[in-house]
Amino acid sequence: MSDPLLTTADVPGEPRAMVLVLHGGKPRSDRVIGTTSASWRRAAWLQRAITPQAHEAGVGVWLARYRVRGWNGGAGPVADARWALEELRSAHGDVPVVLLGHSMGARVAVHAADDPSVVGVVGLAPWWSADDPVATLAGRALRAAHGRRDRITSFRETTRYVDRARSVADSVELHDMGGLGHYMLAGSRRWHDVALTSVLEVLAARVPRAER
């Protein structure tokens, strides 16, 4: 099977930090992901939306595309995220990274958060459960945003996961998105704004802004 793919949006010169966007998926599926995938296209839209302001802050934005669509127990997409982090290190060295995941991508993010480059996780409408680790967040920041009309993933489960993470992570916040749903189509600007604000907040606490 071929490697996962990356869509890169680098800043001119060397970045002060990077964002790795991780898209959603399905509980089980061996279907290969192409550019027609709704989950990948939604994440690509997110990448495009936050890139201009991220670049102004000296932050590059990469988007990973998994080899197959499903979580399938986690091994595949988590390995793909770790591969993407290695590729990012090869390109930019030990630059700090924030993992920005939607739905299953947020689940992938907390499993891969123990990578030495990762300083924080931002989860949008995350798919988290009691089976997902919080130990990977030790010394890192966690930000989550979830709408109460989400019928795909659970606001309540996100709250429980965030509460578990408070004893481990350096800082934890949950943004209540009110009446918004799962796919980040309604209220798209609010989703993009909270994603960017959360990423830059995590970086501001960990990566001092230098003159560029």
Side-chain angles (χ1 to χ4, degrees):
M1 185 176 290
S2 62
D3 284 336
L5 298 176
L6 290 165
T7 303
T8 62
D10 286 324
V11 297
E14 284 302 313
R16 64 184 269 262
M18 295 291 297
V19 177
L20 179 62
V21 181
L22 300 168
H23 63 84
K26 294 288 186 181
R28 295 205 61 83
S29 175
D30 292 323
R31 183 177 178 181
V32 175
I33 296 171
T35 56
T36 60
S37 162
S39 296
W40 181 85
R41 291 179 66 183
R42 183 62 188 88
W45 179 15
L46 173 63
Q47 180 193 29
R48 291 192 302 271
I50 69 170
T51 289
Q53 287 178 269
H55 280 188
E56 290 178 7
V59 179
V61 186
W62 285 20
L63 166 64
R65 193 164 89 204
Y66 319 126
R67 289 167 291 177
V68 299
R69 190 179 186 188
W71 172 251
N72 302 333
V78 174
D80 293 345
R82 293 192 186 280
W83 173 88
L85 287 163
E86 289 292 344
E87 291 294 303
L88 199 154
R89 264 191 295 275
S90 295
H92 295 296
D94 293 326
V95 64
V97 179
V98 175
L99 300 178
L100 172 58
H102 172 234
S103 189
M104 189 184 87
R107 190 175 207 182
V108 173
V110 297
H111 282 258
D114 57 353
D115 182 276
S117 294
V118 174
V119 297
V121 168
V122 177
L124 308 176
W127 174 25
W128 290 332
S129 74
D131 296 329
D132 295 313
V134 294
T136 53
L137 296 168
R140 295 161 174 86
L142 177 67
R143 300 290 183 270
H146 213 135
R148 291 178 179 265
R149 290 188 179 177
D150 193 325
R151 299 296 180 262
I152 305 299
T153 57
S154 167
F155 183 93
R156 181 177 294 179
E157 287 298 329
T158 292
T159 301
R160 289 172 178 164
Y161 182 85
V162 164
D163 287 344
R164 284 200 294 128
R166 290 188 193 282
S167 64
V168 178
D170 273 3
S171 65
V172 177
E173 289 185 17
L174 172 59
H175 297 274
D176 186 340
M177 302 297 284
L180 296 182
H182 184 72
Y183 294 107
M184 305 194 304
L185 301 175
S188 59
R189 180 170 292 183
R190 285 183 60 200
W191 285 109
H192 297 160
D193 285 348
V194 77
L196 180 68
T197 299
S198 298
V199 164
L200 295 182
E201 180 183 282
V202 169
L203 292 175
R206 287 163 173 76
V207 189
R209 181 123 183 223
E211 294 294 329
R212 301 185 68 239

